[in-house]
């Protein structure tokens, strides 16, 4: 079974530029998550989708971050404009069905450096 | 607000020794996960603990959960160099935020010969 795919793996941009990340979850997984992991810390949930609907985006900085999952499969996360403090690894995860008791599987992540 | 604390944050061990990593959390939860992360890699699921008293073992690692004490432990037996990694515990939010995993800061384990 193929795992969660993410691209790009690395991205370097200057502050105030825009950037987008892509995630393809495990086939059949209805729930998709985006996490931000700052160096030396645990991942922090940014947004959770159930199929193509948003379940939880309470920690997403909506003035600059946006995410979509239009067809309930792939998802994109965008930052516009980027700030220095956005430098982090962005992890996508997916789980089967509803979140309750379902294990999350993580992708390899996208390492973003904002200069 | 659910908070998760791990200790220690850094652990340097000698091969062959035993040690325990602790994970405390602040409010009720019915699921706790342990993940392993190697440098530059993503998170690998180790254990899912769903009930009070749950104990799971895989190789040299054993995880347990005490929901009354809001405490989970990850015990390492006879450490080997291959176990060097960062270990995270994550606790699931309760009720409406069930999908929201709150992670600890991680324990960076270094096993030396």
């Amino acid at each position: 079974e193929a795992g969660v795919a993410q691209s790009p793996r690395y991205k370097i941009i200057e502050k105030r530029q825009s950037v987008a990340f892509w995630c393809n979850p495990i086939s059949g997984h209805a729930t998709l998550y985006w996490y931000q992991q700052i160096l030396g810390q645990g991942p922090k949930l940014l947004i959770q989708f159930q199929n193509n609907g948003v379940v939880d985006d309470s920690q997403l900085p909506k003035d600059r971050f946006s995410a979509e999952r239009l067809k309930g499969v792939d998802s994109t996360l965008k930052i516009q404009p980027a700030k220095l403090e956005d430098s982090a690894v962005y992890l996508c995860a997916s789980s089967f069905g509803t979140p309750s008791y379902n294990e999350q599987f993580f992708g390899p992540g996208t390492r973003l450096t904002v200069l | 607000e659910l908070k998760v604390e791990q200790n220690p944050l850094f652990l340097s061990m000698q091969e062959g020794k035993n040690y325990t990593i602790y994970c405390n959390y602040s409010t009720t939860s019915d699921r706790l996960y342990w993940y392993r992360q190697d440098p530059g890699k993503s998170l690998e699921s180790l254990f899912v603990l769903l009930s009070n008293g749950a104990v799971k073992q895989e190789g040299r690692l054993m995880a347990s959960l005490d929901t009354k004490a809001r405490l989970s432990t990850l015990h390492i037996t006879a450490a080997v160099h291959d176990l060097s990694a960062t270990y995270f515990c994550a606790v699931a939010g309760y009720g409406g935020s069930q999908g929201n995993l709150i992670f600890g800061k991680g324990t960076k384990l270094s096993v030396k010969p």
Side-chain angles (χ1 to χ4, degrees):
Chain A
E1 173 181 88
V4 177
Q6 289 187 248
S7 68
R9 294 295 311 278
Y10 305 91
K11 190 74 177 178
I12 300 174
I13 61 173
E14 294 189 348
K15 60 183 179 182
R16 291 188 290 273
Q17 285 188 320
S18 302
V19 65
F21 313 128
W22 174 82
C23 172
N24 188 12
I26 292 172
S27 178
H29 280 196
T31 309
L32 184 146
Y33 314 79
W34 283 102
Y35 288 86
Q36 179 192 59
Q37 186 178 21
I38 292 172
L39 186 64
Q41 297 183 20
K44 183 185 83 171
L45 180 72
L46 293 175
I47 189 167
Q48 175 190 335
F49 292 94
Q50 179 77 16
N51 296 308
N52 60 352
V54 175
V55 174
D56 184 353
D57 63 356
S58 58
Q59 298 191 89
L60 187 74
K62 298 180 186 65
D63 57 334
R64 297 185 299 107
F65 286 65
S66 64
E68 59 184 15
R69 192 185 185 199
L70 294 176
K71 296 184 179 179
V73 182
D74 294 10
S75 176
T76 55
L77 176 69
K78 296 179 182 178
I79 308 175
Q80 181 180 10
K83 293 185 175 182
L84 297 177
E85 59 260 37
D86 298 331
S87 293
V89 175
Y90 291 85
L91 295 166
C92 179
S94 69
S95 64
F96 178 78
T98 60
S100 302
Y101 304 109
N102 281 296
E103 188 177 353
Q104 296 183 24
F105 295 87
F106 285 80
T110 297
R111 183 176 297 276
L112 173 68
T113 302
V114 181
L115 303 175
Chain B
E1 180 187 353
L2 177 57
K3 293 184 179 179
V4 180
E5 289 188 1
Q6 280 182 246
N7 69 83
L9 298 182
F10 299 93
L11 179 55
S12 181
M13 296 177 64
Q14 280 193 310
E15 281 192 329
K17 298 291 187 182
N18 304 332
Y19 210 82
T20 301
I21 298 171
Y22 296 88
C23 175
N24 290 89
Y25 55 99
S26 60
T27 63
T28 301
S29 177
D30 55 0
R31 286 169 292 145
L32 189 139
Y33 301 80
W34 284 96
Y35 287 90
R36 168 181 171 147
Q37 188 175 39
D38 291 288
K41 305 286 186 179
S42 191
L43 284 86
E44 173 193 353
S45 178
L46 295 175
F47 300 107
V48 181
L49 302 170
L50 299 177
S51 61
N52 187 42
V55 176
K56 291 196 174 180
Q57 184 164 5
E58 181 74 34
R60 301 174 188 274
L61 300 178
M62 184 174 72
S64 65
L65 177 62
D66 181 344
T67 58
K68 293 180 181 178
R70 295 177 187 161
L71 170 68
S72 179
T73 60
L74 180 67
H75 187 72
I76 304 156
T77 302
V80 293
H81 179 70
D82 286 352
L83 291 179
S84 296
T86 298
Y87 293 85
F88 291 95
C89 67
V91 180
Y94 200 71
S97 58
Q98 285 181 4
N100 192 353
L101 289 185
I102 307 298
F103 283 80
K105 290 188 175 181
T107 296
K108 186 172 184 178
L109 172 65
S110 176
V111 181
K112 302 182 186 301

